[in-house]
Amino acid sequence: MNTKAILEVKDLHAWFGNTEAVKGVSLSAAYNAVTAIIGPSGCGKSTFIRCLNRLHEELPGAYATGHVLIENIDIYDKKVDPVSIRRKVGMVFQKPNPFPSLSIFDNVVAGLKLAGVKRQSTLKEIAEQSLLSAALWSEVKDKLHAPGTSLSGGQQQRLCIARALAVEPTVLLMDEPTSALDPISTAKIEELMTELRKKVTIVIVTHNMQQAARISDQTAFFLSGELIEFGETSQVFTAPQKEQTERYITGRFG
Amino acid sequence: MNHTVLTEHMTKKYQQRKITNRVMIGLLASASCIALIPLLSIFIYVLAQGLPGLNLNFFTQLPQPIGETGGGMANSIMGTLTLILTASLFGIVWGVGTGLFLSEYPPGRLSNVVRFSADLLSSIPSIIIGLFVYTLIVIPMRRFSLLAGAVALGIIMIPTLARSTEELLRRVPVHVREAGLALGLPRWKVILRIVLLGNSRAISTGIILAIARVSGETAPLLFTSFNNQYWQRGIDQPTSSLPVQIYTYAISPYEDWHQQAWTGALILVSLVFMMNMMTRYLLSPRRSSK
Ligand SMILES: Nc1ncnc2c1ncn2[C@@H]1O[C@H](COP(=O)(O)OP(=O)(O)OP(=O)(O)O)[C@@H](O)[C@H]1O
Ligand SMILES: [Mg+2]
C-alpha cells in the first residue's frame, strides 16, 4: 500500500458571509485510507468536506481560504478549475439524491454522458462496473431503465455511490451517507466501503461512533469549526488526547 | 372518569367533523362543476354554430370577395400557425431564459428589477403591446408585417413563461443541483441538462399555456400583422390570422361571413385543444421514460 499523502489540508477556513464555520483546519490522508470526521451537530463537518471538492463556494455568500492538496495539486490555486476538481473528488450526500427524471442507467452514467461520452458500449460497461462496485448490480440489472427514484432509500444511496464511482474519482467524500438508512442498508454500505477503499480514498462524516470505529483508519474530531483531535481511529477512541474528545466519544457532551 | 368524558367528547367531535368534511367536499365538488359549465357551454355553442360551415374548402381556399359565397380561411389558418411559430421562436427562448436567470442566479438588484418588470409586463393590456410594436416596427418599416405580429405575440409570451419557469425551477431541490455539480459538471450543464430537461414536461405545460394564450390574441394583431385576403408573401408582409379574420367577419353585416366567423372560431378552439393534447402525448411518461 502506498502511504504517500493523497489529501493534504492546510489551514482551511470556510465562511458563510461573516460567519466562520471552519476555523483553520489542517489534516492529511494517505492513499486508500478511510478518514472519519466526527463531532456534534453544527460543528462544521459538512462545511469542511464540502470544501474538499469546492462545492462549499457554490452557496451564495460562501467562500473558503487555505490550501487543499489532492495528489499534490492545490485545488484552491487560482489557476485550478473547480469543475475539473469535482471530477476527481466524488461526493455522496446525506440524503440519497438520484436525478429524479433519469433512469437507473442514466443516473449512473450521467457524469459521463453529460461530459460528452456517447459510445453506448462504453457507457454500458461502465454502468455495470460501477453498479457492481456499489453492490447494486444484482438488484437492478433487470430494470436498468426504471426511474432511479423507484428504488428503496438504501438502493438509491448505493445508486448515488455508483454514480459517483462512474467518473472514477480518486477521493470519495461521504456526508453521513447512512444516516437516512435502516440498519441493514447501513451494514451493506459499510461492507461496500471496505471494498471501495481499495480504489479510492474515503473521507466520511458520521454521527455514529461505532461506524467510525468500524470503518475508518483515522478520525478527526471537530468542535465549533475547529479540529480538536486528529489521529488513528483506535487511538482517538481508546486513548483520546484531549478532554473534549473524550467527553464527546463517551457521550458526556451536549 | 376524565377518560370517559374525554372519549365521549371526542367521539361527538369526530361525528361532527365527519359531517363537516362531507359537506365541504360536496361544496367544493359542485363549485368545480359549476366552473366547468361556462367552458362546456362555450365549447358546445361554438361547435353547434361552427359545424354547419365546416367543409374541406374552409381549409384549402382563400376568402371570397364580398357577395360570392363559399371560400375558406386557409390563409388565416396558415397565418396563425406561422405567427405562433415565429413568436415562439424568440418568445420561448427569451421567456424560459429569463426564468432560468431568475431562478438560478443569486438574488440581487438586477433579478428584482427583472422580476418586477416581468410582473408589470404581464399586466399590461395586450393592445398596448400592439401599439408599442406598431411604433417600434410597423412605422419604421412603413407596413404591417408578420414580423411585427410575431414580435407582439412573443412579447406577450415572455413574462408568463419567465414566471412559470422560475416558479418551477425553484421547486427543484438544491440537492439535485449539487449532485450534478459534485459530478464535475459545469453549472450551465447542470442547469440545462438536469434541471431544465429534467422538468421538460412541466416547462412545456408553461409553454403550452403561453402559446394558447397568444393564439387567440386579436387586439395586438390588428395593427401589427393586420390582415389580408391572400396567401402570406413574406415575413415583412401583412398576414391574415384566425382571430383577426374572425373579428373582421363577425362585425360584418353579412350572414355568410358570420357563419365563416363561427367556423373560424371552432378551428381556433380546436387548434388550441390539439396543441394541448399533442404536447401531452409527446411528453407522456410512457414515452419520455424510454
Ligand atoms: N447555508 C448556510 N448559511 C449560513 N450558515 C450555515 C449554512 N450552512 C451551515 N451553516 C452554519 O455553519 C456551521 C456548520 O454547519 P455544518 O452544516 O457544516 O455542520 P455539521 O457539522 O455538518 O452539522 P450536522 O452534523 O448537523 O450535519 C453551523 O453553525 C451552521 O449554522
Ligand atoms: Mg452535516
Side-chain angles (χ1 to χ4, degrees), chain B residues 10-256:
Chain B
M10 283 178 52
T11 317
K12 220 173 101 203
K13 273 270 173 165
Y14 176 56
Q15 293 306 335
Q16 272 176 11
R17 241 181 25 235
K18 263 201 327 209
I19 295 169
T20 323
N21 186 34
R22 291 228 180 98
V23 171
M24 291 313 284
I25 288 181
L27 279 176
L28 287 177
S30 32
S32 319
C33 291
I34 292 170
L36 278 178
I37 292 176
L39 176 71
L40 281 178
S41 28
I42 289 174
F43 206 76
I44 291 168
Y45 196 67
V46 170
L47 209 63
Q49 297 285 326
L51 269 181
L54 195 64
N55 51 40
L56 194 61
N57 288 349
F58 195 84
F59 295 96
T60 54
Q61 295 201 353
L62 295 176
Q64 291 291 319
I66 300 169
E68 287 176 43
T69 52
M73 285 197 186
N75 61 335
S76 314
I77 296 173
M78 274 310 290
T80 281
L81 292 179
T82 342
L83 270 172
I84 291 176
L85 205 75
T86 321
S88 304
L89 277 186
F90 80 96
I92 291 176
V93 174
W94 204 327
V96 172
T98 309
L100 265 179
F101 170 76
L102 290 178
S103 78
E104 301 300 316
Y105 287 86
R109 197 185 258 145
L110 182 61
S111 46
N112 282 335
V113 171
V114 171
R115 193 173 294 114
F116 183 67
S117 318
D119 287 345
L120 221 63
L121 186 59
S122 66
S123 55
I124 289 179
S126 57
I127 194 160
I128 310 283
I129 290 172
L131 268 176
F132 168 71
V133 176
Y134 178 77
T135 40
L136 190 78
I137 297 180
V138 177
I139 293 182
M141 280 176 68
R142 289 155 188 272
R143 57 163 107 69
F144 298 113
S145 63
L146 184 126
L147 179 72
V151 168
L153 296 187
I155 292 177
I156 296 171
M157 288 172 84
I158 292 171
T160 29
L161 265 180
R163 294 293 279 172
S164 65
T165 308
E166 182 197 359
E167 293 300 319
L168 205 132
L169 295 183
R170 274 188 191 284
R171 260 180 274 142
V172 178
V174 185
H175 63 73
V176 170
R177 293 165 224 261
E178 290 196 331
L181 290 174
L183 278 180
L185 299 169
R187 181 165 273 267
W188 67 268
K189 237 177 211 175
V190 174
I191 293 174
L192 284 187
R193 301 286 298 271
I194 292 170
V195 177
L196 201 62
L197 227 57
N199 291 283
S200 51
R201 203 131 50 102
I203 289 182
S204 320
T205 314
I207 293 178
I208 296 168
L209 288 178
I211 291 183
R213 184 184 157 200
V214 298
S215 313
E217 278 293 349
T218 322
L221 295 182
L222 287 173
F223 35 8
T224 51
S225 59
F226 194 59
N227 201 351
N228 69 22
Q229 304 297 311
Y230 36 83
W231 291 106
Q232 175 58 27
R233 287 177 181 155
I235 194 162
D236 59 343
Q237 297 290 326
T239 185
S240 182
S241 57
L242 276 173
V244 176
Q245 188 74 339
I246 292 169
Y247 168 76
T248 316
Y249 277 20
I251 59 169
S252 77
Y254 313 110
E255 219 17 74
D256 197 34

Side-chain angles (χ1 to χ4, degrees), chain A residues 128-137 139 154-155 157-163 165 188-189 192 196 199:
Chain A
E128 179 171 349
Q129 263 169 21
S130 313
L131 285 167
L132 278 170
S133 311
L136 188 61
W137 176 250
E139 290 156 68
Q155 288 173 324
Q157 193 62 304
R158 278 177 285 148
L159 177 63
C160 293
I161 294 176
R163 178 178 68 188
L165 293 177
K188 264 201 182 130
I189 287 182
L192 168 61
L196 287 184
K199 291 184 213 152

Side-chain angles (χ1 to χ4, degrees), chain A residues 16 21 40-47 176 207:
Chain A
F16 290 100
S41 188
C43 68
K45 305 180 294 294
S46 298
T47 312
E176 301 184 44
H207 269 292

